[in-house]
Amino acid sequence: MEKEAVFDDDIKLSDDEIYYPDAPYDTETTASSHKKEEGEGGSNVVFSKEAPLIRKDTNPGECCGCTAKKLNFKGGEDLIDKENNGQQLKKLNRQERIELGRVFQGAVTSMDWEHAERLIRLADPQTLNDLLCVGLDSVWFLTTKHEFQGITGLIKKMVCNGAHDFTRATLRTSFLASCVSACQSRTMSLADSVDVMAQRLKERLQECNGDEILKAEAGAKVQKFTEWALKCIGFHSRSQGARDRVSHSSATEIELQLSAFKMFLDLAGNHLSGRDFTEAFDAACFPLTLFSNSFDPGWASGISATVIQGLLGMLVEGGADNVNQCFLEASRFGSTELVRVLLHIAQRNSLDVDVDLALGFASHYCKLGTMKCLVEEGNAIAFLGPLMRAAERGCMQVVQWFVKRGCRDMELCLALTAATSSSQVEVAAYLLPFVPSPVLTALSIEILKAAGERSGGSLQGVEFLLRSDFLGDSAATYSVADSIARSSEDESVSSDLKSFLREHWSQAAFEKGMRESYEDFMNFMRVLKKGECDISLRDLPAPLRVAIAYMPLYRECVNAGGRLLSQRLRGQLVEAVRQLQGCDVPVVDVSETPQLMAVLEHHLTAIFC
């Protein structure tokens, strides 16, 4: 099956959906009538009553010789008679409008300007607005000066005859122009674009918050309208001899296309408000977010993006004021090439865009390519907020990206604190070696206090820092923990953190551990001497008795992991070794804990000798 056929089969639209993808069957109003009253929320972008497209089974060349009789209108002869007599034409019904628009599309495509003008004279006011949309949509496929003159002449003729729905035409054609630019990517065919669009739209809606029913309805409308745009692109591409791919326009062709659109804006004049330009800007940006992942590398700086850059620039000049909003949204969804385009638009028009906030959005959704663009091309420098939030979420990719880009010592320290407070142990383990020891030493108490305060009840991150000997000096690490545990009057320390440190990491915990180990030893000796079990412990070999008494402690120490044991475990270990060595071992320095473990291991392994 040929690509062309695949493309047509993949877009499943009924006739009504092709011609009117976002309007009720019997609507007779224009887009402007849908505008909300001042003060109401929500977007007023309306792609209603979309103008007709030629059917896929129609040969454009067959239209050039058609007359009004061949349109198959109900009462078509009356239209001709009234036209010839100069009488006012009757109001066309929906099917007549569709037929007239279909034939007009064919006349435009075949460059039969005389026939197209005759069809304009047959149109009622509403159909004129439909034809205005068709004519304006055609400007994005202009290739010659002759075509430019023909299309612009038709647009002027329609406006002179009463076409006035400039708002709808501008919104619709802005959306279509964006789709045309997106589909000029060498990496994506028209057939592929159907699946790409549907999948990306689904992903985007999943990333948004809101009512699921409303999201589903919005998704269906957007998908239907985008499929309409792709259908339109496919028809024009095939009429120009391309099969399943949009041809790249030359610089001369792009100049003609933009000039035609500028002529339309000049005709519209004050009939287009700043709000209209703003909504058209949003309509032009939206498709680029759907297709962004399929663009060629460097698309934004290539000729394919020239049209959309020119279009957006004219919309900004007309009064669009949502460049920053679209810029932030593009950053959020990782539309890197659109971000580049909008950066260029902002710079060329001296507009401010919040690159640092955009970096925050991109990093939150782990859009690394967009982050790189914002830093290298947008000069974003605010790393701290995005880095801390990534550390809190445990997003290792983003944390590593920021660290590799280069972060200040304090930024790294705060990110470590954020990871610790959220118990993101893996991220904390990655960040810890990058924070200079002097910084950790100076801020050690504050790091633990802040981590405890924002911990939400889990102190795994705090425990990780202590077990890792985060100060690189076991005595200093134990001292910091003990200091916080004894700060009974410091209200800035969370009660959970105090309780945890007192129980496990304070000097009092060490002494308690020694007492517990001594009591365990005494209980074991009582059982050894006075036990009434049939199998007397005294009859067992000495190494086996040692294993029974101290294997649980050894396993607990090994499972604790890290470079340091908690003070409570360390106290138990010290007392156990003292008992094994005949109580002649003094309380050793904290740095000698590994040696104590070696002694315990020696006694436990004796059973296997």
Side-chain angles (χ1 to χ4, degrees):
M1 183 177 292
E2 294 180 346
K3 285 281 188 177
E4 180 177 329
V6 171
F7 176 72
D8 281 340
D9 291 343
D10 281 349
I11 299 183
K12 305 296 184 182
L13 296 176
S14 65
D15 281 350
D16 287 341
E17 291 172 328
I18 291 173
Y19 305 137
Y20 302 93
D22 197 33
Y25 178 83
D26 58 352
T27 182
E28 298 293 339
T29 57
T30 64
S32 58
S33 69
H34 290 273
K35 287 189 176 181
K36 298 181 180 179
E37 298 295 330
E38 289 295 327
E40 290 187 13
S43 172
N44 287 332
V45 179
V46 180
F47 299 112
S48 60
K49 303 187 313 315
E50 299 315 322
L53 297 174
I54 194 165
R55 293 175 181 170
K56 67 180 181 181
D57 58 352
T58 301
N59 186 339
E62 294 177 356
C63 301
C64 59
C66 290
T67 65
K69 292 182 179 180
K70 293 184 180 180
L71 293 179
N72 236 359
F73 286 170
K74 181 180 180 181
E77 292 80 0
D78 293 338
L79 286 175
I80 298 175
D81 293 340
K82 289 183 178 181
E83 178 195 8
N84 293 335
N85 295 330
Q87 299 179 28
Q88 183 177 0
L89 296 177
K90 74 169 185 176
K91 187 175 183 180
L92 304 181
N93 62 36
R94 182 182 180 86
Q95 189 57 40
E96 290 170 341
R97 287 169 50 209
I98 291 174
E99 287 295 308
L100 181 58
R102 178 179 64 82
V103 178
F104 179 80
Q105 174 80 79
V108 169
T109 304
S110 61
M111 293 180 286
D112 189 344
W113 313 123
E114 181 179 348
H115 182 56
E117 288 189 13
R118 180 176 175 81
L119 293 171
I120 291 173
R121 292 195 295 272
L122 293 175
D124 64 4
Q126 183 173 350
T127 308
L128 272 176
N129 288 323
D130 293 342
L131 302 187
L132 178 64
C133 290
V134 173
L136 185 59
D137 289 344
S138 300
V139 305
W140 308 116
F141 305 94
L142 294 177
T143 58
T144 66
K145 184 71 172 179
H146 174 67
E147 293 175 3
F148 169 83
Q149 293 171 342
I151 289 294
T152 54
L154 290 178
I155 291 175
K156 292 176 183 178
K157 184 81 172 178
M158 287 183 279
V159 172
C160 289
N161 281 24
H164 61 277
D165 198 348
F166 301 104
T167 297
R168 171 188 159 208
T170 304
L171 295 179
R172 162 192 166 117
T173 206
S174 297
F175 186 93
L176 178 62
S178 180
C179 291
V180 172
S181 293
C183 289
Q184 286 181 341
S185 171
R186 292 188 303 273
T187 62
M188 184 173 62
S189 68
L190 286 174
D192 294 336
S193 63
V194 178
D195 296 330
V196 170
M197 175 276 300
Q199 180 61 30
R200 189 67 187 100
L201 178 60
K202 180 180 178 181
E203 293 171 357
R204 176 165 179 175
L205 289 173
Q206 288 175 343
E207 294 171 353
C208 295
N209 297 322
D211 183 83
E212 292 300 323
I213 296 178
L214 293 178
K215 285 165 59 176
E217 292 176 352
K221 289 180 180 180
V222 172
Q223 181 167 343
K224 184 165 59 177
F225 201 88
T226 307
E227 288 178 349
W228 162 82
L230 297 176
K231 186 82 173 180
C232 182
I233 294 169
F235 164 71
H236 279 282
S237 298
R238 289 191 297 276
S239 69
Q240 294 174 347
R243 301 176 68 85
D244 196 47
R245 193 172 296 276
V246 180
S247 301
H248 286 265
S249 299
S250 66
T252 301
E253 293 169 346
I254 290 172
E255 183 179 358
L256 290 174
Q257 295 163 10
L258 293 175
S259 296
F261 183 67
K262 180 64 167 61
M263 181 278 301
F264 167 79
L265 294 181
D266 291 339
L267 281 177
N270 294 332
H271 294 286
L272 289 174
S273 66
R275 186 172 186 176
D276 293 331
F277 283 105
T278 296
E279 292 175 348
F281 193 96
D282 187 59
C285 288
F286 182 78
L288 298 181
T289 64
L290 294 183
F291 293 114
S292 61
N293 292 338
S294 57
F295 286 151
D296 303 324
W299 175 89
S301 58
I303 195 168
S304 297
T306 306
V307 166
I308 199 63
Q309 288 181 357
L311 169 67
L312 294 177
M314 282 187 270
L315 295 177
V316 169
E317 291 173 3
D321 60 2
N322 58 335
V323 177
N324 188 57
Q325 177 184 342
C326 292
F327 177 72
L328 295 177
E329 187 172 352
S331 300
R332 172 187 177 184
F333 289 103
S335 305
T336 305
E337 296 302 322
L338 178 57
V339 167
R340 287 195 173 96
V341 169
L342 295 178
L343 278 173
H344 178 73
I345 295 292
Q347 293 165 0
R348 190 173 63 189
N349 292 276
S350 301
L351 300 175
D352 292 328
V353 287
D354 197 335
V355 292
D356 290 326
L357 181 56
L359 180 63
F361 280 127
S363 64
H364 183 81
Y365 292 96
C366 200
K367 308 298 184 181
L368 301 184
T370 305
M371 292 165 60
K372 180 180 179 182
C373 172
L374 291 167
V375 171
E376 295 182 354
E377 301 175 37
N379 301 315
I381 58 175
F383 285 11
L384 178 58
L387 174 61
M388 288 185 63
R389 287 188 287 273
E392 287 175 342
R393 300 192 312 274
C395 187
M396 181 65 81
Q397 278 186 302
V398 173
V399 171
Q400 290 176 332
W401 188 90
F402 278 114
V403 171
K404 291 175 181 177
R405 297 291 305 188
C407 298
R408 293 188 290 270
D409 294 344
M410 186 54 65
E411 291 173 335
L412 293 169
C413 183
L414 291 173
L416 174 64
T417 304
T420 302
S421 65
S422 301
S423 298
Q424 300 293 348
V425 174
E426 184 180 359
V427 174
Y430 172 77
L431 288 170
L432 184 57
F434 292 100
V435 184
S437 296
V439 175
L440 289 173
T441 301
L443 298 174
S444 57
I445 292 179
E446 297 304 321
I447 291 173
L448 294 179
K449 287 168 59 176
E453 182 181 1
R454 301 198 298 265
S455 65
S458 174
L459 295 170
Q460 293 179 356
V462 172
E463 185 177 24
F464 164 76
L465 285 185
L466 295 173
R467 291 192 186 282
S468 300
D469 189 14
F470 75 112
L471 296 180
D473 180 340
S474 53
T477 300
Y478 282 131
S479 176
V480 167
D482 184 62
S483 174
I484 297 174
R486 290 185 291 103
S487 58
S488 57
E489 298 180 359
D490 190 348
E491 297 181 356
S492 64
V493 181
S494 70
S495 58
D496 289 342
L497 179 62
K498 285 182 184 179
S499 299
F500 172 74
L501 296 178
R502 285 172 183 167
E503 183 176 354
H504 298 284
W505 291 89
S506 64
Q507 183 62 30
F510 172 77
E511 295 169 357
K512 181 179 180 180
M514 290 190 66
R515 291 195 300 271
E516 289 173 343
S517 184
Y518 178 75
E519 291 172 1
D520 289 342
F521 171 75
M522 294 303 298
N523 288 334
F524 181 79
M525 294 305 296
R526 292 188 185 102
V527 171
L528 183 65
K529 294 179 179 179
K530 301 180 180 179
E532 298 179 355
C533 180
D534 294 337
I535 302 176
S536 175
L537 291 180
R538 289 176 297 178
D539 298 334
L540 297 177
L544 187 55
R545 294 199 300 268
V546 171
I548 293 173
Y550 295 106
M551 183 62 76
L553 174 61
Y554 176 75
R555 287 175 175 169
E556 188 175 1
C557 291
V558 171
N559 292 337
R563 299 175 58 186
L564 294 184
L565 295 175
S566 68
Q567 285 281 48
R568 187 170 179 176
L569 268 182
R570 192 175 73 89
Q572 293 177 1
L573 179 61
V574 167
E575 181 62 26
V577 172
R578 292 181 70 238
Q579 297 299 334
L580 288 171
Q581 298 290 71
C583 297
D584 59 352
V585 178
V587 177
V588 298
D589 185 82
V590 292
S591 62
E592 299 180 18
T593 301
Q595 286 82 348
L596 296 178
M597 282 293 293
V599 172
L600 184 56
E601 287 177 355
H602 172 73
H603 285 278
L604 291 175
T605 55
I607 189 175
F608 302 106
C609 297

